[in-house]
Amino acid sequence: MATNTVSQVAPSPAEDAAALLKAFQGWGTDEQAVIAILARRDVTQRKQITLTYEQMYNESLLQRLQSELSGDFERAMCHWILDPDERQAVMANAAMKCIQEEYPVIIEIAGTNSPAELIAVKKAYHVLYKCSLEEDVAACTTGNLRSLLLALVSTYRYDGNDVNMGLAKSEAKIVHEAVRNGTIDHEELIRIVGTRSKAQLKATFSCFKDEHSSSITKVLRNATREAGTDEDTLTRVVVMHAEKDMKGITGAFQKRSSVTLEQVIAKETSGDYRSFLTALLGS
Amino acid sequence: MATNTVSQVAPSPAEDAAALLKAFQGWGTDEQAVIAILARRDVTQRKQITLTYEQMYNESLLQRLQSELSGDFERAMCHWILDPDERQAVMANAAMKCIQEEYPVIIEIAGTNSPAELIAVKKAYHVLYKCSLEEDVAACTTGNLRSLLLALVSTYRYDGNDVNMGLAKSEAKIVHEAVRNGTIDHEELIRIVGTRSKAQLKATFSCFKDEHSSSITKVLRNATREAGTDEDTLTRVVVMHAEKDMKGITGAFQKRSSVTLEQVIAKETSGDYRSFLTALLGS
């Protein structure tokens, strides 16, 4: 479920475009006006405002926002006005500029989209960059990181619920063999994680737990790096999920952390950036 | 362009289904009647006949054909009545039973479909086998063959005409480095061939030829195995391309071989199998 509140009776795209221009003009930008407008429009409305703004004022709204705003607030707002497919294509492309640090962004995009949604992101990538997500991922990586990321972004996974239990058992064994003695056979692990359906992986990991009384994530934890909880990650999670399933994320967050995500954001962020994120969280 | 001739005024699917049942009944099957009907129906008509036959006689047309016909003719006809996406999914799945011999089938399917067509084949694969093409390819291969085939079937390639000439030059150099001294750096070769767009690869190979006065296919020829010209390959090419671009293939064949494909088929095949292939070639 979404967390952001969309205005029930929104002004026309032309009125919103005019209000945005007014917020940009004069001494300093009226950031609160920008938030009040854009945080309360849905994806279709934001698209129309972007198009209308460009037609009316002969300049790109994205570029104007980039020049008017700054820092984390600018990045959050610029991601927000894109449609979800373009946004994720832009995020993936940006992550590849610094792939050793930012590869969790690629994993997140590959992992949180359905197979059909991932194809839509890849189509947007073609349009924006005149090349494929796959070739850029492959070109900026080597070795096991290449194999893993490439499998994750490339595979058009089966997304039905059918599960092969025999296979789950045999691959739980392969996973066990692959990680025992502290040396990891990356090739087989990557094959399984990179190509099997989510339902099948769930069954495999469940077999692993039954057999070895320990979850695979626990076994693998030392071998992987946790994604940082920096501002870019926070922006990405809130902007990507606000309109989709953020309610579930804030609920899960509260269960694990005993504080609400809103409380953490109020403590860890400030200014317009904080106003914008809390608006997207529906506070 | 297609080579097979579709009847201008075709009987209804129910009439065709009844005529097929008649051809199956009695002493021996009337193969010529089966060919006369099915070779002259387009893909939509064949689909309707299959559905109607099943409704009318409560049996699968595909299974009846499998029990009535035999050998190469049976395999060709059973492929022909499937729609192109299902047919290629079935062919890919069959190839994986004997992947060391049959991997050229996978390469052919990955190489002759547009990115959107390949997704349609992969969707058909999900429906038929309740798993993904990628996971089956990955599970039945290892090492370089796995990396190559998996890249070919997985990548959602960019299919625009935009080409990066600087990249073409630098990757022509990487390809040269990768194949010199007779030792091949498979990882970089597979990355380039497996992920770049067709237009980009064309530019890269053209740069390679300009720099080294020899085409990359000539350099690589000894490193790869040519697909056999056995009946299965012949069936696959004719059945897959008859309704699509077979005219171009027969033209190219004649240029290279100084005989027509029809002449070779007449010489190398016989019986109902020959009748069927020549019908699909429009003779």
Side-chain angles (χ1 to χ4, degrees):
Chain A
M1 243 185 104
T3 49
N4 63 317
T5 321
V6 175
S7 301
Q8 289 299 315
V9 190
S12 72
E15 287 169 317
D16 276 340
L20 284 169
L21 185 71
K22 197 170 160 234
F24 298 149
Q25 285 168 336
W27 280 22
T29 308
D30 183 352
E31 286 88 357
Q32 291 304 315
V34 175
I35 294 171
I37 299 166
L38 291 174
R40 291 175 165 274
R41 300 293 176 272
D42 68 22
V43 59
T44 316
Q45 291 167 331
R46 298 197 301 274
K47 192 99 194 169
Q48 284 175 333
I49 294 169
T50 306
L51 290 170
T52 309
Y53 184 95
E54 186 146 3
Q55 282 164 1
M56 285 170 67
Y57 306 119
N58 207 24
E59 67 172 6
S60 147
L61 178 58
L62 184 66
Q63 282 169 13
R64 184 72 191 248
L65 285 168
Q66 282 169 333
S67 76
E68 294 289 336
L69 313 178
S70 63
D72 294 321
F73 175 49
E74 175 213 327
R75 277 190 289 280
M77 189 56 87
C78 289
H79 281 148
W80 178 246
I81 69 158
L82 297 172
D83 80 35
D85 301 330
E86 290 174 336
R87 181 193 300 148
Q88 292 180 80
V90 168
M91 285 172 170
N93 186 264
M96 283 186 267
K97 306 270 182 286
C98 189
I99 193 73
Q100 293 299 328
E101 300 293 316
E102 297 294 330
Y103 70 85
V105 177
I106 309 285
I107 295 177
E108 194 176 309
I109 291 171
T112 58
N113 285 287
S114 72
E117 287 168 343
L118 189 57
I119 292 288
V121 173
K122 295 202 263 188
K123 276 187 187 163
Y125 201 98
H126 287 191
V127 173
L128 287 170
Y129 302 109
K130 310 292 176 204
C131 66
S132 68
L133 174 59
E134 287 92 331
E135 64 194 293
D136 280 356
V137 166
C140 76
T141 50
T142 54
N144 288 326
L145 184 63
R146 176 189 287 171
S147 304
L148 175 65
L149 295 184
L150 206 49
L152 294 178
V153 298
S154 303
T155 306
Y156 184 66
R157 287 179 206 253
Y158 171 63
D159 60 350
N161 294 320
D162 291 71
V163 162
N164 179 333
M165 281 313 294
L167 189 69
K169 274 195 181 164
S170 68
E171 294 200 335
K173 210 173 158 192
I174 292 176
V175 169
H176 180 66
E177 297 280 322
V179 298
R180 71 176 179 178
N181 304 328
T183 58
I184 296 182
D185 174 357
H186 290 94
E187 202 176 324
E188 281 299 278
L189 261 188
I190 291 172
R191 173 184 69 75
I192 293 170
V193 174
T195 66
R196 294 299 184 197
S197 73
K198 286 187 185 172
Q200 185 68 37
L201 284 173
K202 218 171 150 183
T204 300
F205 295 156
S206 165
C207 286
F208 185 96
K209 202 171 175 181
D210 290 346
E211 283 283 319
H212 308 290
S213 317
S214 173
S215 79
I216 179 70
T217 45
K218 211 167 173 185
V219 174
L220 282 176
R221 193 157 294 159
N222 294 328
T224 62
R225 195 177 68 77
E226 292 279 313
T229 51
D230 54 282
E231 281 74 12
D232 283 347
T233 305
L234 186 61
T235 298
R236 201 169 64 242
V237 172
V238 177
V239 169
M240 270 175 67
H241 296 274
E243 291 181 295
K244 201 177 166 187
D245 52 5
M246 196 68 210
K247 209 132 206 167
I249 294 174
T250 52
F253 186 92
Q254 191 167 359
K255 260 194 198 159
R256 283 182 67 151
S257 323
S258 77
V259 289
T260 68
L261 185 56
E262 289 85 342
Q263 287 170 328
V264 173
I265 286 174
K267 187 165 167 262
E268 301 286 336
T269 66
S270 62
D272 301 317
Y273 179 54
R274 174 158 73 190
S275 308
F276 182 45
L277 293 189
T278 43
L280 295 188
L281 289 172
S283 314
Chain B
M1 240 182 109
T3 50
N4 64 317
T5 320
V6 176
S7 301
Q8 290 296 314
V9 189
S12 73
E15 287 169 316
D16 276 340
L20 283 169
L21 185 71
K22 197 170 159 234
F24 299 149
Q25 286 170 335
W27 282 21
T29 308
D30 183 353
E31 286 88 357
Q32 291 304 313
V34 175
I35 295 171
I37 299 165
L38 290 173
R40 290 175 167 274
R41 300 293 178 270
D42 68 24
V43 59
T44 316
Q45 291 167 332
R46 297 196 302 275
K47 192 98 197 170
Q48 284 174 333
I49 294 168
T50 306
L51 289 171
T52 308
Y53 185 94
E54 186 144 5
Q55 282 163 2
M56 285 170 67
Y57 306 118
N58 206 22
E59 68 172 6
S60 146
L61 178 58
L62 184 66
Q63 282 169 13
R64 184 74 193 243
L65 285 168
Q66 282 169 335
S67 76
E68 294 288 337
L69 315 178
S70 64
D72 295 321
F73 176 49
E74 175 213 328
R75 276 190 289 281
M77 189 57 87
C78 289
H79 281 148
W80 178 245
I81 69 156
L82 297 172
D83 81 34
D85 301 330
E86 290 173 337
R87 181 193 298 149
Q88 292 181 80
V90 169
M91 286 173 169
N93 186 264
M96 283 186 268
K97 306 269 182 286
C98 189
I99 193 72
Q100 293 298 328
E101 300 293 316
E102 296 295 330
Y103 70 85
V105 176
I106 308 284
I107 295 177
E108 195 176 308
I109 290 171
T112 58
N113 285 288
S114 72
E117 286 168 345
L118 189 56
I119 292 288
V121 173
K122 294 200 264 188
K123 277 186 187 165
Y125 200 97
H126 288 192
V127 173
L128 287 170
Y129 302 109
K130 309 293 176 206
C131 67
S132 68
L133 174 59
E134 287 92 331
E135 64 194 291
D136 280 356
V137 166
C140 76
T141 50
T142 54
N144 289 324
L145 184 62
R146 175 189 288 173
S147 306
L148 175 66
L149 294 185
L150 204 48
L152 294 178
V153 299
S154 303
T155 307
Y156 184 66
R157 285 180 207 253
Y158 171 64
D159 62 349
N161 295 319
D162 290 71
V163 163
N164 180 334
M165 281 312 294
L167 189 69
K169 276 197 178 161
S170 68
E171 295 200 334
K173 212 174 154 190
I174 291 175
V175 169
H176 180 65
E177 297 280 323
V179 297
R180 72 176 179 177
N181 305 327
T183 57
I184 295 182
D185 174 357
H186 290 95
E187 201 176 324
E188 281 299 279
L189 262 188
I190 289 171
R191 174 184 68 79
I192 293 170
V193 174
T195 66
R196 295 299 184 195
S197 72
K198 287 189 185 170
Q200 184 68 37
L201 285 172
K202 216 170 153 185
T204 300
F205 295 156
S206 164
C207 285
F208 185 96
K209 201 169 178 184
D210 290 348
E211 283 282 319
H212 307 292
S213 316
S214 175
S215 77
I216 180 69
T217 44
K218 213 166 171 184
V219 173
L220 284 177
R221 193 157 296 160
N222 293 328
T224 61
R225 195 177 69 79
E226 294 277 314
T229 52
D230 55 279
E231 281 73 11
D232 282 347
T233 305
L234 186 62
T235 298
R236 202 170 62 241
V237 171
V238 176
V239 169
M240 269 175 68
H241 296 275
E243 292 182 293
K244 201 176 165 187
D245 52 4
M246 196 68 210
K247 210 135 208 165
I249 295 174
T250 53
F253 186 91
Q254 190 166 0
K255 261 194 195 157
R256 283 181 68 152
S257 324
S258 77
V259 289
T260 67
L261 185 58
E262 288 86 342
Q263 287 169 330
V264 173
I265 286 175
K267 189 164 166 266
E268 302 286 336
T269 66
S270 62
D272 301 317
Y273 180 53
R274 173 157 75 191
S275 307
F276 182 46
L277 292 188
T278 44
L280 295 188
L281 289 171
S283 313

